[in-house]
């Protein structure tokens, strides 16, 4: 059996090699005849395929020019049909010898699936009712020298889909729609924030101190300055500097880089949006977030009820708001208001099988209980508020409960969608928090922050009361496109190299 399979694979490869050889021979013949398609520099497109179909009354009987990839071809003597796929979709074309000329028709019959063509003709409807273009000219714009995957199955190898996203986009209409949606989502966010008076800004990606989040940075060396630098893990500390400088509402959408593992929700480089607004707090950030998610869903999806996996996520209803301690009590019956010491918290963790480290204190263990027992239940939009100060080094304390901070995370489908604070603007408290972070770093926590002296100087100049928030754009796109994994919404996700290079 194994021998037969090997023989079958060898035969398939031999057949493929022959097809590739034929395509190159066709290109050589065109070049020898002075018809090299790669020397064509432009083609005047007047309309896209779907525009013709959706507004047939406007285009019926009119001449149009479209361009795209030929995805199918049926040759029937003196007349043929082909299907051309462009950015928006595809359309059928009727290509007849008497309409384009005998020589052009001979050349058309030699075209291969995957070739990129320009096609001019009159819009009409066939006897079977399909909107089509009656071609008067066909121009080969680019010769495809590779063979596309089989039409009805596309790229069935998931790993290859991500490595060859260009082929995936060609073969899958759903994949194309996902990335068109991604662009529309980001545009909608920008319009919403711009309408609220926010300014979009850009901050450095190469930094000497990668702070603002609990993550391990990538490190590199800047030869010109002979200095070690890091790729940013967050946008926070530079955006806060701008608040200090008087730019009262700012946001940035950009790549950040975290030297961590790969899974369905994590990629080492991803798109983060952070925004900061002076003279508001985390309650203002909650209102902004709820309204923005609802706005984007309605504008891009046409509804606030979003199908995701096996459930429907209702973004139209008010989002639930729970403190972290109340959420733990709701789903476990454990009330950390009654557990006041680290010793009591560790004893409870031992009883419940919650793993912790020796350096952890009560606040850390509260957070561990939340992650262990609560997150999985947060399917519909839920704000989790008032985190322990130990897990929130850049957040303002609650005036009435200084062991907690004014922070929230939004969870949808058991996933953190954003993280927000009433920003810490007390430079004395901030320095103490940095010292605690450096102690954690010395104790082995590779994700702990170090003191950023320039940021400390900015805080000492004075930052107004400020609300800030960070959104994982990729996770929002996953939600609104019903995509199960982050790789499905990244055009070029990080992949392990094969044979020394990406394949």
């Amino acid at each position: 059996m194994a021998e037969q399979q090997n023989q079958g694979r060898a035969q398939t490869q031999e057949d493929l090699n022959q097809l590739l050889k034929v395509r190159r021979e066709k290109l050589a013949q065109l070049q020898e005849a002075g018809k090299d398609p790669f020397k064509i520099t432009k083609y005047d497109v007047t309309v896209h395929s779907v525009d013709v179909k959706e507004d047939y009354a406007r285009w019926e009987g009119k001449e149009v020019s479209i361009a795209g990839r030929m995805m199918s071809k049926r040759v029937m003597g003196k007349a043929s049909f082909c299907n051309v796929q462009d950015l928006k979709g595809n359309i059928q074309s009727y290509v007849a010898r008497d309409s384009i000329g005998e020589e052009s028709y001979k050349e058309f019959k030699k075209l291969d699936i995957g070739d990129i063509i320009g096609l001019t003709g009159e819009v009409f409807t066939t006897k079977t009712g399909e909107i089509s273009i009656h071609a008067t000219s066909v121009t080969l714009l680019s010769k495809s020298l590779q063979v596309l995957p089989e039409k009805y199955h596309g790229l069935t190898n998931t790993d290859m889909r991500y490595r060859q996203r260009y082929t995936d986009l060609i073969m899958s209409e759903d994949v194309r729609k996902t990335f068109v949606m991604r662009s529309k989502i980001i545009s909608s966010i920008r319009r919403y924030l711009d309408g609220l008076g926010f300014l979009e800004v850009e901050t450095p990606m190469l930094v000497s101190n990668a702070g603002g989040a609990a993550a391990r940075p990538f490190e590199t060396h800047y030869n010109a300055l002979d200095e070690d630098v890091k790729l940013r893990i967050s946008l926070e500390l530079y955006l806060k500097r701008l608040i200090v400088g008087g730019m009262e509402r700012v946001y940035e959408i950009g790549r950040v880089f975290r030297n961590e593992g790969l899974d369905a929700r994590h990629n080492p480089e991803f798109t983060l949006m952070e925004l900061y607004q002076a003279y508001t707090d985390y309650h203002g950030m909650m209102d902004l977030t709820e309204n923005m998610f609802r706005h984007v869903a309605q504008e891009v999806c046409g509804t606030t009820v979003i199908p995701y996996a096996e459930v429907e996520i209702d973004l139209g209803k008010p989002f639930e708001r729970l403190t972290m301690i109340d959420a733990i009590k709701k789903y476990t019956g454990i009330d950390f208001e009654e557990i006041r010491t680290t010793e009591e918290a560790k004893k409870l963790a031992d009883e419940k099988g919650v793993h912790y480290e020796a350096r952890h204190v009560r606040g850390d263990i509260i957070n561990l209980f939340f992650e262990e027992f609560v997150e999985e239940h947060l399917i519909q939009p839920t704000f989790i508020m008032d985190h322990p100060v130990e897990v929130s080094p850049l957040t303002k304390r609650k005036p009435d409960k200084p062991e907690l901070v004014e922070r929230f995370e939004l969870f949808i489908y058991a996933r953190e969608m954003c993280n927000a604070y009433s920003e810490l603007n007390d430079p004395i408290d901030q320095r103490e928090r940095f010292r605690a972070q450096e102690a954690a770093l010395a104790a082995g926590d590779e994700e702990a922050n170090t003191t950023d002296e320039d940021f400390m100087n900015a805080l000492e100049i004075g930052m107004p009361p400020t609300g800030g928030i960070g959104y994982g754009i990729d996770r929002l796109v996953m939600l609104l496109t019903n995509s199960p994994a982050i790789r499905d919404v990244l055009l070029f996700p990080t992949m392990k190299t094969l044979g020394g290079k990406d394949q």
Side-chain angles (χ1 to χ4, degrees):
M1 176 65 74
E3 184 178 347
Q4 290 177 341
Q5 290 176 338
N6 289 336
Q7 289 176 347
R9 282 193 288 267
Q11 182 61 51
T12 299
Q13 187 60 48
E14 185 178 338
D15 293 343
L16 177 60
N17 290 340
Q18 182 59 33
L19 289 172
L20 298 177
K21 179 183 177 184
V22 169
R23 291 193 177 211
R24 280 163 173 74
E25 289 173 348
K26 288 181 179 179
L27 175 61
Q29 291 168 5
L30 287 167
Q31 290 170 332
E32 289 172 5
K35 298 181 179 180
D36 186 348
F38 298 123
K39 290 186 176 180
I40 295 176
T41 58
K42 61 175 292 189
Y43 187 83
D44 292 327
V45 175
T46 61
V47 69
H48 282 94
S49 57
V50 171
D51 298 332
V52 171
K53 292 180 176 181
E54 291 181 348
D55 196 4
Y56 178 68
R58 174 187 176 187
W59 296 105
E60 182 184 13
K62 293 188 172 65
E63 182 180 87
V64 297
S65 293
I66 65 167
R69 194 176 299 273
M70 189 168 70
M71 299 300 292
S72 66
K73 184 177 71 168
R74 288 181 291 133
V75 176
M76 301 175 295
K78 298 178 182 179
S80 303
F81 285 93
C82 71
N83 188 281
V84 179
Q85 177 176 290
D86 59 19
L87 171 67
K88 296 186 177 181
N90 63 81
I91 193 166
Q92 178 178 269
S93 178
Y94 174 69
V95 184
R97 184 191 66 182
D98 293 344
S99 298
I100 68 171
E102 186 170 349
E103 186 63 28
S104 294
Y105 190 65
K106 286 181 181 178
E107 293 173 357
F108 170 79
K109 290 195 293 183
K110 292 180 181 179
L111 296 179
D112 292 306
I113 303 304
D115 287 348
I116 296 174
I117 62 174
L119 191 147
T120 297
E122 185 178 296
V123 176
F124 78 110
T125 303
T126 65
K127 292 180 181 179
T128 60
E130 182 166 357
I131 295 171
S132 306
I133 298 173
H134 188 155
T136 54
S137 71
V138 179
T139 305
L140 177 61
L141 302 175
S142 182
K143 182 68 184 169
S144 176
L145 301 179
Q146 283 284 354
V147 177
L148 293 176
E150 195 273 323
K151 177 181 177 182
Y152 294 102
H153 297 97
L155 276 174
T156 55
N157 183 313
T158 302
D159 188 73
M160 194 58 69
R161 283 184 52 227
Y162 299 137
R163 292 183 186 278
Q164 295 188 11
R165 182 66 84 188
Y166 42 89
T167 307
D168 195 26
L169 289 164
I170 292 168
M171 301 307 300
S172 173
E173 182 178 1
D174 288 341
V175 171
R176 291 196 302 278
K177 285 181 178 179
T178 292
F179 288 104
V180 170
M181 282 275 284
R182 181 187 175 101
S183 179
K184 290 180 178 179
I185 289 165
I186 294 173
S187 294
S188 180
I189 290 170
R190 283 192 165 106
R191 281 193 297 274
Y192 181 78
L193 293 178
D194 293 348
L196 293 178
F198 281 84
L199 299 174
E200 184 172 10
V201 297
E202 294 176 313
T203 61
M205 289 190 181
L206 286 174
V207 295
S208 58
N209 188 330
R216 184 180 178 183
F218 287 94
E219 299 180 0
T220 187
H221 186 75
Y222 189 4
N223 292 333
L225 297 180
D226 192 23
E227 289 183 357
D228 291 332
V229 292
K230 301 176 178 67
L231 289 169
R232 67 186 181 186
I233 59 173
S234 169
L235 313 174
E236 180 168 347
L237 300 186
Y238 280 96
L239 291 177
K240 284 182 177 178
R241 287 167 166 89
L242 299 181
I243 295 293
V244 170
M247 300 178 73
E248 295 180 0
R249 298 187 182 201
V250 293
Y251 75 96
E252 181 175 7
I253 300 173
R255 287 291 214 194
V256 296
F257 309 87
R258 299 183 182 179
N259 199 348
E260 55 192 20
L262 297 162
D263 61 30
R265 288 183 282 176
H266 295 91
N267 194 72
E269 59 173 306
F270 61 97
T271 301
L272 181 65
M273 181 179 81
E274 292 196 30
L275 64 86
Y276 293 85
Q277 179 179 341
Y279 311 113
T280 191
D281 62 3
Y282 73 142
H283 291 292
M285 292 293 97
M286 271 186 256
D287 294 340
L288 184 151
T289 297
E290 187 168 340
N291 292 334
M292 186 179 76
F293 271 53
R294 198 168 289 140
H295 166 87
V296 172
Q298 185 66 54
E299 186 172 271
V300 177
C301 303
T303 178
T304 56
V305 179
I306 306 299
Y308 190 80
E310 75 287 358
V311 299
E312 286 190 337
I313 305 297
D314 192 345
L315 299 174
K317 293 181 179 178
F319 294 5
E320 186 175 10
R321 302 186 182 195
L322 287 170
T323 69
M324 182 175 283
I325 288 175
D326 285 345
I328 294 171
K329 185 176 180 180
K330 176 178 179 179
Y331 291 104
T332 70
I334 297 168
D335 187 356
F336 271 94
E337 292 286 5
E338 299 176 356
I339 300 165
R340 302 306 303 170
T341 68
T342 294
E343 290 71 22
E344 290 175 310
K346 286 185 174 180
K347 181 180 177 182
L348 181 62
D350 291 335
E351 292 172 359
K352 299 298 183 181
V354 175
H355 174 73
Y356 58 87
E357 298 177 23
R359 62 183 175 83
H360 284 156
V361 297
R362 175 179 174 271
D364 297 299
I365 292 171
I366 290 173
N367 190 59
L368 291 172
F369 266 76
F370 171 77
E371 293 175 348
E372 182 74 23
F373 299 116
V374 179
E375 281 190 14
E376 63 182 327
H377 299 288
L378 305 179
I379 303 303
Q380 294 301 322
T382 305
F383 290 118
I384 298 296
M385 310 179 294
D386 300 354
H387 295 52
V389 68
E390 290 84 0
V391 296
S392 312
L394 297 167
T395 315
K396 183 173 286 193
R397 295 175 190 263
K398 290 180 68 65
D400 57 336
K401 289 187 177 180
E403 76 276 13
L404 302 178
V405 295
E406 294 192 347
R407 173 185 174 187
F408 75 80
E409 294 172 287
L410 171 63
F411 285 86
I412 300 176
Y413 198 74
R415 295 172 180 169
E416 178 199 332
M417 304 298 291
C418 65
N419 187 20
Y421 312 150
S422 294
E423 300 298 332
L424 180 60
N425 62 341
D426 178 345
I428 297 171
D429 191 356
Q430 181 63 79
R431 186 170 290 279
E432 289 301 316
R433 307 276 192 97
F434 274 139
R435 283 176 183 153
Q437 284 285 296
E438 290 186 341
L441 184 66
D445 184 355
E446 294 182 337
E447 295 185 348
N449 287 190
T450 58
T451 304
D452 186 326
E453 289 296 346
D454 182 72
F455 175 66
M456 288 304 308
N457 185 64
L459 281 190
E460 289 173 0
I461 288 174
M463 186 173 84
T466 298
I469 189 164
Y471 301 89
I473 294 296
D474 308 303
R475 290 186 185 179
L476 177 57
V477 176
M478 287 169 63
L479 174 69
L480 296 183
T481 61
N482 198 3
S483 298
I486 192 170
R487 288 183 175 188
D488 295 319
V489 299
L490 297 175
L491 280 168
F492 301 103
T494 301
M495 304 291 291
K496 184 177 176 62
T497 55
L498 298 176
K501 64 178 182 178
D502 271 340
Q503 297 183 1

